[in-house]
Amino acid sequence: MTMTYTQTTPEQGTADRGPAGTRGDVDDVVRLLDVDGTRLPDTELDPFIADLSPHELRALHRDMVLTRRVDAEGVALQRQGQLALWAPCRGQEAVQVGTAHALAPGDFVFPSYREHGVLLGRGAKPADYVLAWRGEEHSAYDHTTINAAPPQIIIGAQSLHATGWAMGAQRDGSTDVAVAYYGDGATSQGDVNEAMVFASSFRAPVVFVCSNNQWAISEPVTVQAKYPIAGRAPGFGIPSMRIDGNDALACVAAMRWALDRARRGDGPSFIEAVTYRMGPHTTSDDPTRYRDADEVEAWTRRDPIARLEAYLRAEGVLDDSGLDEVARAADTLAAEVRAACIGATTRDPGTMFDHVYAEPHAALAQQKADYLDYLAGFEQEGDR
Protein backbone atom coordinates (compact mmCIF):
# COMPACT_ATOMS: atom_id res chain seq x y z
CA MET A 1 0.00 0.00 0.00
CA THR A 2 1.18 3.50 -0.70
CA MET A 3 0.08 6.56 1.25
CA THR A 4 -0.32 8.69 -1.85
CA TYR A 5 -3.30 7.58 -3.87
CA THR A 6 -2.51 6.24 -7.34
CA GLN A 7 -5.16 7.08 -9.92
CA THR A 8 -7.10 4.18 -11.36
CA THR A 9 -8.00 3.74 -14.98
CA PRO A 10 -11.24 5.21 -16.34
CA GLU A 11 -12.70 1.70 -16.57
CA GLN A 12 -12.14 1.19 -12.83
CA GLY A 13 -13.47 4.57 -11.85
CA THR A 14 -16.50 5.18 -14.05
CA ALA A 15 -18.98 2.83 -15.62
CA ASP A 16 -17.87 -0.38 -13.92
CA ARG A 17 -20.59 -1.09 -11.39
CA GLY A 18 -20.94 -4.06 -9.08
CA PRO A 19 -23.99 -5.83 -7.61
CA ALA A 20 -26.99 -3.73 -6.62
CA GLY A 21 -25.69 -0.73 -8.52
CA THR A 22 -22.78 0.03 -6.19
CA ARG A 23 -19.49 1.28 -7.58
CA GLY A 24 -17.35 -1.45 -8.99
CA ASP A 25 -14.27 -0.05 -7.21
CA VAL A 26 -15.88 0.07 -3.77
CA ASP A 27 -13.34 -2.50 -2.55
CA ASP A 28 -10.39 -0.52 -3.91
CA VAL A 29 -9.77 0.75 -0.39
CA VAL A 30 -7.39 0.37 2.53
CA ARG A 31 -8.98 -2.01 5.01
CA LEU A 32 -7.87 -3.44 8.38
CA LEU A 33 -11.09 -5.29 9.23
CA ASP A 34 -12.86 -7.44 6.71
CA VAL A 35 -16.66 -7.31 6.54
CA ASP A 36 -16.89 -10.29 8.93
CA GLY A 37 -14.54 -8.70 11.46
CA THR A 38 -11.42 -10.62 10.44
CA ARG A 39 -8.24 -8.60 11.08
CA LEU A 40 -6.33 -7.84 7.90
CA PRO A 41 -2.63 -6.91 8.14
CA ASP A 42 -1.25 -3.74 6.60
CA THR A 43 2.44 -3.03 7.04
CA GLU A 44 2.12 0.75 6.80
CA LEU A 45 -1.08 1.35 8.78
CA ASP A 46 -0.65 -1.29 11.48
CA PRO A 47 1.88 0.81 13.45
CA PHE A 48 -0.67 3.61 13.80
CA ILE A 49 -3.04 1.42 15.82
CA ALA A 50 -0.55 -0.89 17.53
CA ASP A 51 -1.00 0.91 20.85
CA LEU A 52 -4.80 0.68 20.97
CA SER A 53 -5.65 -0.90 24.31
CA PRO A 54 -8.69 -3.08 25.03
CA HIS A 55 -10.18 -0.11 26.88
CA GLU A 56 -9.72 2.13 23.85
CA LEU A 57 -11.20 -0.48 21.53
CA ARG A 58 -14.25 -0.83 23.76
CA ALA A 59 -14.59 2.96 23.89
CA LEU A 60 -14.51 3.08 20.09
CA HIS A 61 -17.32 0.55 19.89
CA ARG A 62 -19.29 2.24 22.68
CA ASP A 63 -19.22 5.64 20.99
CA MET A 64 -20.33 4.13 17.69
CA VAL A 65 -23.32 2.50 19.41
CA LEU A 66 -24.15 5.73 21.26
CA THR A 67 -23.94 7.68 18.00
CA ARG A 68 -26.41 5.35 16.31
CA ARG A 69 -28.78 5.62 19.26
CA VAL A 70 -28.63 9.44 19.29
CA ASP A 71 -29.24 9.40 15.55
CA ALA A 72 -32.33 7.21 15.92
CA GLU A 73 -33.62 9.53 18.64
CA GLY A 74 -33.07 12.56 16.41
CA VAL A 75 -35.12 10.98 13.63
CA ALA A 76 -37.91 10.05 16.07
CA LEU A 77 -38.01 13.56 17.55
CA GLN A 78 -38.31 15.09 14.10
CA ARG A 79 -41.10 12.71 13.12
CA GLN A 80 -42.92 13.66 16.33
CA GLY A 81 -42.70 17.36 15.49
CA GLN A 82 -40.11 18.20 18.14
CA LEU A 83 -37.35 19.03 15.64
CA ALA A 84 -37.63 20.92 12.38
CA LEU A 85 -35.10 18.70 10.59
CA TRP A 86 -32.53 15.99 11.22
CA ALA A 87 -29.67 14.69 9.06
CA PRO A 88 -29.26 10.96 9.79
CA CYS A 89 -25.81 9.39 9.99
CA ARG A 90 -26.71 5.70 10.33
CA GLY A 91 -24.04 3.62 8.63
CA GLN A 92 -21.34 6.28 8.92
CA GLU A 93 -20.44 5.74 12.58
CA ALA A 94 -17.01 4.23 11.90
CA VAL A 95 -15.58 7.15 9.96
CA GLN A 96 -17.03 9.72 12.36
CA VAL A 97 -16.11 8.08 15.65
CA GLY A 98 -12.89 6.50 14.39
CA THR A 99 -11.39 9.75 13.12
CA ALA A 100 -12.61 11.68 16.18
CA HIS A 101 -10.92 9.20 18.53
CA ALA A 102 -7.59 9.92 16.86
CA LEU A 103 -7.73 13.65 17.65
CA ALA A 104 -5.84 15.47 20.39
CA PRO A 105 -7.73 17.81 22.75
CA GLY A 106 -6.33 20.92 21.04
CA ASP A 107 -7.33 19.90 17.53
CA PHE A 108 -10.34 21.73 16.07
CA VAL A 109 -13.03 20.16 13.89
CA PHE A 110 -15.23 21.81 11.29
CA PRO A 111 -18.18 19.46 10.73
CA SER A 112 -21.02 19.35 8.28
CA TYR A 113 -24.58 18.87 9.49
CA ARG A 114 -24.27 15.05 9.64
CA GLU A 115 -21.28 14.53 11.95
CA HIS A 116 -23.14 13.59 15.13
CA GLY A 117 -20.48 10.98 15.96
CA VAL A 118 -17.70 13.55 15.69
CA LEU A 119 -19.51 15.84 18.12
CA LEU A 120 -20.00 12.93 20.51
CA GLY A 121 -16.30 12.17 20.30
CA ARG A 122 -15.50 15.79 21.13
CA GLY A 123 -17.65 15.72 24.27
CA ALA A 124 -21.00 17.16 23.16
CA LYS A 125 -23.73 17.30 25.81
CA PRO A 126 -27.26 15.92 25.20
CA ALA A 127 -28.73 19.34 24.40
CA ASP A 128 -25.93 20.04 21.92
CA TYR A 129 -27.38 17.58 19.41
CA VAL A 130 -30.88 18.99 19.19
CA LEU A 131 -31.28 22.65 20.16
CA ALA A 132 -30.09 24.01 16.83
CA TRP A 133 -32.35 21.60 14.92
CA ARG A 134 -35.21 22.73 17.14
CA GLY A 135 -34.46 26.36 16.33
CA GLU A 136 -33.62 27.28 19.93
CA GLU A 137 -29.94 28.12 19.54
CA HIS A 138 -27.72 29.24 16.69
CA SER A 139 -25.14 26.56 17.41
CA ALA A 140 -26.36 24.82 20.59
CA TYR A 141 -22.88 24.34 22.03
CA ASP A 142 -19.91 26.42 23.05
CA HIS A 143 -17.29 25.78 20.38
CA THR A 144 -14.49 26.68 22.79
CA THR A 145 -15.31 23.81 25.15
CA ILE A 146 -15.46 20.96 22.62
CA ASN A 147 -13.23 22.47 19.90
CA ALA A 148 -15.87 22.09 17.22
CA ALA A 149 -17.26 24.78 14.95
CA PRO A 150 -21.05 24.95 14.48
CA PRO A 151 -22.31 22.33 12.01
CA GLN A 152 -22.11 23.87 8.57
CA ILE A 153 -25.20 23.86 6.37
CA ILE A 154 -23.57 25.60 3.38
CA ILE A 155 -22.07 22.70 1.46
CA GLY A 156 -18.27 22.66 1.66
CA ALA A 157 -17.84 26.08 3.30
CA GLN A 158 -16.24 24.52 6.40
CA SER A 159 -13.24 23.44 4.32
CA LEU A 160 -12.24 27.10 3.98
CA HIS A 161 -12.84 27.74 7.67
CA ALA A 162 -10.68 24.76 8.61
CA THR A 163 -7.85 25.84 6.33
CA GLY A 164 -7.92 29.37 7.71
CA TRP A 165 -7.87 28.09 11.28
CA ALA A 166 -4.97 25.79 10.43
CA MET A 167 -2.98 28.64 8.90
CA GLY A 168 -3.57 30.65 12.07
CA ALA A 169 -2.40 27.76 14.26
CA GLN A 170 0.65 27.40 12.02
CA ARG A 171 1.55 31.06 12.54
CA ASP A 172 1.04 30.72 16.29
CA GLY A 173 3.61 27.93 16.37
CA SER A 174 0.98 25.44 17.56
CA THR A 175 0.98 21.71 16.81
CA ASP A 176 -2.83 21.62 16.79
CA VAL A 177 -4.53 20.45 13.61
CA ALA A 178 -7.79 21.46 11.92
CA VAL A 179 -10.11 18.87 10.41
CA ALA A 180 -12.79 19.54 7.79
CA TYR A 181 -15.56 16.95 7.41
CA TYR A 182 -17.77 16.87 4.34
CA GLY A 183 -19.52 14.49 1.97
CA ASP A 184 -18.76 13.40 -1.56
CA GLY A 185 -21.16 15.99 -2.96
CA ALA A 186 -19.18 18.82 -1.38
CA THR A 187 -16.15 17.98 -3.52
CA SER A 188 -18.00 19.50 -6.48
CA GLN A 189 -18.09 22.85 -4.69
CA GLY A 190 -15.53 25.55 -5.40
CA ASP A 191 -14.98 26.18 -1.70
CA VAL A 192 -13.47 22.72 -1.20
CA ASN A 193 -11.09 23.08 -4.12
CA GLU A 194 -10.08 26.60 -3.09
CA ALA A 195 -9.39 25.38 0.43
CA MET A 196 -7.14 22.65 -0.93
CA VAL A 197 -5.20 25.18 -3.01
CA PHE A 198 -4.50 27.33 0.06
CA ALA A 199 -3.79 24.32 2.28
CA SER A 200 -1.26 22.93 -0.17
CA SER A 201 0.39 26.27 -0.97
CA PHE A 202 0.93 27.13 2.69
CA ARG A 203 1.43 23.56 3.96
CA ALA A 204 -1.37 24.16 6.42
CA PRO A 205 -1.90 21.59 9.19
CA VAL A 206 -5.37 20.51 8.06
CA VAL A 207 -6.96 17.16 7.31
CA PHE A 208 -9.80 16.89 4.80
CA VAL A 209 -12.11 13.97 5.58
CA CYS A 210 -14.52 13.16 2.76
CA SER A 211 -17.26 10.73 3.77
CA ASN A 212 -18.14 9.23 0.42
CA ASN A 213 -21.57 7.85 1.35
CA GLN A 214 -22.43 7.19 -2.33
CA TRP A 215 -25.23 9.75 -2.60
CA ALA A 216 -25.33 13.56 -2.67
CA ILE A 217 -29.05 13.80 -1.91
CA SER A 218 -30.45 11.98 -4.98
CA GLU A 219 -27.34 12.06 -7.17
CA PRO A 220 -25.04 9.00 -7.06
CA VAL A 221 -21.35 9.68 -6.63
CA THR A 222 -20.66 8.28 -10.11
CA VAL A 223 -22.43 11.29 -11.64
CA GLN A 224 -20.00 13.82 -10.18
CA ALA A 225 -16.87 11.71 -9.70
CA LYS A 226 -15.78 9.73 -12.75
CA TYR A 227 -12.67 8.67 -10.85
CA PRO A 228 -12.30 7.87 -7.14
CA ILE A 229 -12.38 11.13 -5.21
CA ALA A 230 -9.08 10.48 -3.42
CA GLY A 231 -7.35 10.79 -6.78
CA ARG A 232 -8.09 14.51 -6.92
CA ALA A 233 -6.00 15.54 -3.93
CA PRO A 234 -2.56 14.69 -5.40
CA GLY A 235 -3.33 17.17 -8.17
CA PHE A 236 -3.20 19.84 -5.46
CA GLY A 237 0.00 18.37 -4.04
CA ILE A 238 -1.87 16.77 -1.13
CA PRO A 239 -1.24 13.10 -0.24
CA SER A 240 -4.44 11.11 0.01
CA MET A 241 -5.73 7.78 1.18
CA ARG A 242 -8.87 5.89 0.17
CA ILE A 243 -10.08 3.78 3.07
CA ASP A 244 -13.00 1.57 4.00
CA GLY A 245 -15.17 4.03 5.88
CA ASN A 246 -17.05 1.16 7.56
CA ASP A 247 -13.82 -0.09 9.14
CA ALA A 248 -13.29 1.70 12.44
CA LEU A 249 -9.67 0.58 12.79
CA ALA A 250 -8.77 1.84 9.32
CA CYS A 251 -10.42 5.17 10.16
CA VAL A 252 -8.37 5.56 13.34
CA ALA A 253 -5.16 4.58 11.57
CA ALA A 254 -5.67 6.82 8.54
CA MET A 255 -6.51 9.79 10.75
CA ARG A 256 -3.42 9.22 12.87
CA TRP A 257 -1.34 9.06 9.70
CA ALA A 258 -2.76 12.38 8.53
CA LEU A 259 -2.44 14.05 11.93
CA ASP A 260 1.14 12.87 12.26
CA ARG A 261 2.01 14.46 8.91
CA ALA A 262 0.39 17.73 9.91
CA ARG A 263 2.14 17.92 13.30
CA ARG A 264 5.50 17.28 11.65
CA GLY A 265 4.94 20.27 9.40
CA ASP A 266 4.37 18.19 6.27
CA GLY A 267 1.10 19.92 5.46
CA PRO A 268 -2.42 18.75 4.61
CA SER A 269 -3.75 15.28 3.90
CA PHE A 270 -6.94 14.01 2.29
CA ILE A 271 -8.92 10.96 3.40
CA GLU A 272 -11.72 9.51 1.31
CA ALA A 273 -13.74 7.19 3.54
CA VAL A 274 -15.94 4.97 1.40
CA THR A 275 -19.14 4.37 3.36
CA TYR A 276 -22.91 4.49 2.88
CA ARG A 277 -25.80 6.63 4.06
CA MET A 278 -28.30 4.01 5.21
CA GLY A 279 -31.12 6.49 5.77
CA PRO A 280 -32.39 9.55 3.93
CA HIS A 281 -30.30 12.61 3.18
CA THR A 282 -32.40 14.43 5.77
CA THR A 283 -35.81 13.73 7.26
CA SER A 284 -37.25 15.75 4.36
CA ASP A 285 -35.92 13.22 1.86
CA ASP A 286 -37.38 9.95 0.54
CA PRO A 287 -34.47 7.76 -0.66
CA THR A 288 -36.80 5.08 -2.02
CA ARG A 289 -37.42 7.42 -4.96
CA TYR A 290 -33.86 7.13 -6.24
CA ARG A 291 -32.22 3.96 -4.89
CA ASP A 292 -33.37 0.35 -4.67
CA ALA A 293 -33.70 -1.98 -1.71
CA ASP A 294 -31.02 -4.38 -3.00
CA GLU A 295 -28.39 -1.67 -2.77
CA VAL A 296 -29.33 -0.87 0.80
CA GLU A 297 -29.32 -4.56 1.70
CA ALA A 298 -25.84 -5.00 0.21
CA TRP A 299 -24.52 -2.20 2.41
CA THR A 300 -26.37 -3.51 5.46
CA ARG A 301 -24.04 -6.50 5.32
CA ARG A 302 -21.12 -4.07 5.65
CA ASP A 303 -22.45 -2.61 8.91
CA PRO A 304 -19.57 -0.87 10.75
CA ILE A 305 -20.77 -1.62 14.28
CA ALA A 306 -21.37 -5.32 13.63
CA ARG A 307 -17.93 -5.56 12.01
CA LEU A 308 -16.08 -4.05 14.97
CA GLU A 309 -18.17 -6.02 17.44
CA ALA A 310 -17.28 -9.30 15.72
CA TYR A 311 -13.59 -8.42 15.89
CA LEU A 312 -13.73 -7.46 19.57
CA ARG A 313 -15.59 -10.64 20.47
CA ALA A 314 -13.04 -12.75 18.63
CA GLU A 315 -10.24 -10.97 20.50
CA GLY A 316 -11.95 -11.52 23.85
CA VAL A 317 -12.22 -7.76 24.38
CA LEU A 318 -16.03 -7.59 24.42
CA ASP A 319 -18.66 -9.98 25.76
CA ASP A 320 -22.41 -10.05 26.40
CA SER A 321 -22.17 -8.18 29.67
CA GLY A 322 -20.16 -5.45 28.00
CA LEU A 323 -22.72 -5.17 25.22
CA ASP A 324 -25.52 -4.92 27.77
CA GLU A 325 -23.72 -2.08 29.52
CA VAL A 326 -23.25 -0.22 26.25
CA ALA A 327 -26.93 -0.68 25.38
CA ARG A 328 -27.95 0.78 28.74
CA ALA A 329 -25.61 3.74 28.25
CA ALA A 330 -27.08 4.34 24.80
CA ASP A 331 -30.63 4.31 26.18
CA THR A 332 -29.62 6.72 28.94
CA LEU A 333 -28.05 9.15 26.47
CA ALA A 334 -31.08 8.96 24.18
CA ALA A 335 -33.39 9.74 27.10
CA GLU A 336 -31.21 12.73 28.03
CA VAL A 337 -31.29 14.01 24.45
CA ARG A 338 -35.08 13.68 24.37
CA ALA A 339 -35.47 15.44 27.70
CA ALA A 340 -33.19 18.27 26.58
CA CYS A 341 -35.25 18.69 23.43
CA ILE A 342 -38.73 18.56 24.93
CA GLY A 343 -37.72 20.54 27.99
CA ALA A 344 -36.13 23.38 26.03
CA THR A 345 -37.46 26.84 26.79
CA THR A 346 -38.20 28.82 23.67
CA ARG A 347 -36.91 32.36 23.98
CA ASP A 348 -38.76 35.49 23.03
CA PRO A 349 -38.21 35.98 19.26
CA GLY A 350 -36.77 39.45 19.84
CA THR A 351 -33.77 38.05 21.72
CA MET A 352 -32.20 36.88 18.46
CA PHE A 353 -31.03 40.46 17.94
CA ASP A 354 -29.46 40.85 21.37
CA HIS A 355 -25.96 39.56 20.70
CA VAL A 356 -25.35 40.42 17.06
CA TYR A 357 -23.10 43.34 18.04
CA ALA A 358 -21.12 43.98 21.20
CA GLU A 359 -22.65 47.45 21.54
CA PRO A 360 -26.16 48.79 20.75
CA HIS A 361 -26.64 49.49 17.07
CA ALA A 362 -29.34 51.85 15.75
CA ALA A 363 -29.96 49.98 12.51
CA LEU A 364 -30.25 46.67 14.36
CA ALA A 365 -32.67 48.22 16.86
CA GLN A 366 -34.86 49.29 13.96
CA GLN A 367 -34.73 45.80 12.47
CA LYS A 368 -35.79 44.35 15.82
CA ALA A 369 -38.71 46.79 16.09
CA ASP A 370 -39.83 46.00 12.55
CA TYR A 371 -39.66 42.27 13.22
CA LEU A 372 -41.69 42.53 16.43
CA ASP A 373 -44.30 44.60 14.58
CA TYR A 374 -44.40 41.88 11.93
CA LEU A 375 -45.03 39.18 14.55
CA ALA A 376 -47.67 41.33 16.24
CA GLY A 377 -49.55 41.37 12.96
CA PHE A 378 -50.15 37.64 13.25
CA GLU A 379 -51.56 38.06 16.74
CA GLN A 380 -53.95 40.70 15.48
CA GLU A 381 -55.06 38.35 12.70
CA GLY A 382 -55.78 35.70 15.30
CA ASP A 383 -57.89 38.06 17.36
CA ARG A 384 -60.31 38.69 14.51
Side-chain angles (χ1 to χ4, degrees):
M1 187 200 75
T2 177
M3 291 303 176
T4 301
Y5 184 79
T6 302
Q7 189 62 277
T8 57
T9 65
E11 289 74 19
Q12 290 173 301
T14 55
D16 182 25
R17 300 174 72 82
T22 56
R23 286 186 63 135
D25 64 350
V26 75
D27 283 323
D28 179 23
V29 293
V30 177
R31 180 177 293 134
L32 298 181
L33 287 180
D34 210 343
V35 292
D36 63 356
T38 302
R39 180 71 163 86
L40 303 174
D42 187 283
T43 56
E44 296 195 53
L45 275 191
D46 283 347
F48 288 100
I49 57 169
D51 64 339
L52 285 180
S53 67
H55 172 76
E56 290 171 314
L57 290 169
R58 285 191 294 269
L60 187 64
H61 170 268
R62 177 191 177 94
D63 280 358
M64 288 170 63
V65 173
L66 264 59
T67 296
R68 181 165 294 185
R69 188 67 179 85
V70 167
D71 186 56
E73 197 64 30
V75 172
L77 286 166
Q78 193 282 329
R79 297 307 190 205
Q80 295 160 11
Q82 297 295 334
L83 300 179
L85 192 71
W86 184 261
C89 69
R90 182 180 177 87
Q92 298 181 219
E93 297 89 356
V95 59
Q96 294 185 8
V97 174
T99 56
H101 269 237
L103 298 171
D107 297 333
F108 206 101
V109 303
F110 294 80
S112 78
Y113 43 77
R114 200 182 306 280
E115 268 76 44
H116 312 306
V118 175
L119 296 181
L120 187 145
R122 299 306 278 167
K125 297 180 176 61
D128 295 344
Y129 299 101
V130 290
L131 292 189
W133 295 108
R134 188 179 167 89
E136 305 291 356
E137 299 281 354
H138 290 301
S139 172
Y141 52 80
D142 180 354
H143 68 276
T144 64
T145 60
I146 67 173
N147 274 17
Q152 181 57 253
I153 297 295
I154 301 173
I155 305 299
Q158 67 272 27
S159 58
L160 288 170
H161 307 157
T163 301
W165 190 96
M167 292 171 64
Q170 181 185 60
R171 283 150 180 75
D172 288 341
S174 171
T175 58
D176 294 332
V177 180
V179 184
Y181 289 90
Y182 46 79
D184 48 287
T187 61
S188 295
Q189 294 288 340
D191 284 2
V192 170
N193 294 275
E194 291 158 9
M196 292 172 72
V197 169
F198 268 83
S200 177
S201 297
F202 292 96
R203 300 178 69 84
V206 58
V207 180
F208 300 104
V209 178
C210 173
S211 295
N212 177 0
N213 64 17
Q214 310 300 311
W215 291 94
I217 308 184
S218 60
E219 292 293 342
V221 67
T222 46
V223 170
Q224 57 191 342
K226 298 303 180 184
Y227 294 85
I229 296 171
R232 299 181 184 181
F236 293 93
I238 299 175
S240 68
M241 190 182 300
R242 192 168 196 258
I243 64 171
D244 186 335
N246 285 15
D247 175 355
L249 295 189
C251 292
V252 174
M255 193 62 164
R256 285 183 167 183
W257 161 75
L259 292 169
D260 184 57
R261 292 192 67 257
R263 297 195 210 287
R264 291 200 314 264
D266 290 342
S269 303
F270 184 97
I271 298 171
E272 178 193 357
V274 180
T275 181
Y276 194 76
R277 166 171 54 81
M278 296 300 297
H281 176 72
T282 71
T283 46
S284 295
D285 174 41
D286 178 8
T288 63
R289 298 178 63 183
Y290 53 82
R291 67 186 191 191
D292 58 53
D294 289 343
E295 178 181 310
V296 177
E297 175 58 30
W299 279 93
T300 299
R301 294 192 291 272
R302 297 170 175 265
D303 185 87
I305 296 178
R307 185 185 307 193
L308 181 60
E309 183 178 314
Y311 169 68
L312 296 183
R313 278 184 174 276
E315 292 293 307
V317 173
L318 189 64
D319 55 20
D320 287 343
S321 64
L323 288 172
D324 289 343
E325 189 279 326
V326 170
R328 289 193 297 271
D331 287 342
T332 297
L333 177 57
E336 291 173 346
V337 169
R338 172 169 288 272
C341 176
I342 296 176
T345 300
T346 300
R347 299 182 185 181
D348 182 275
T351 61
M352 74 171 71
F353 297 89
D354 290 350
H355 302 289
V356 178
Y357 293 96
E359 300 294 336
H361 189 286
L364 189 68
Q366 184 61 54
Q367 290 179 27
K368 178 176 181 179
D370 292 343
Y371 181 60
L372 294 179
D373 285 344
Y374 168 74
L375 294 180
F378 289 100
E379 296 176 2
Q380 293 167 7
E381 288 286 337
D383 292 338
R384 293 177 183 175

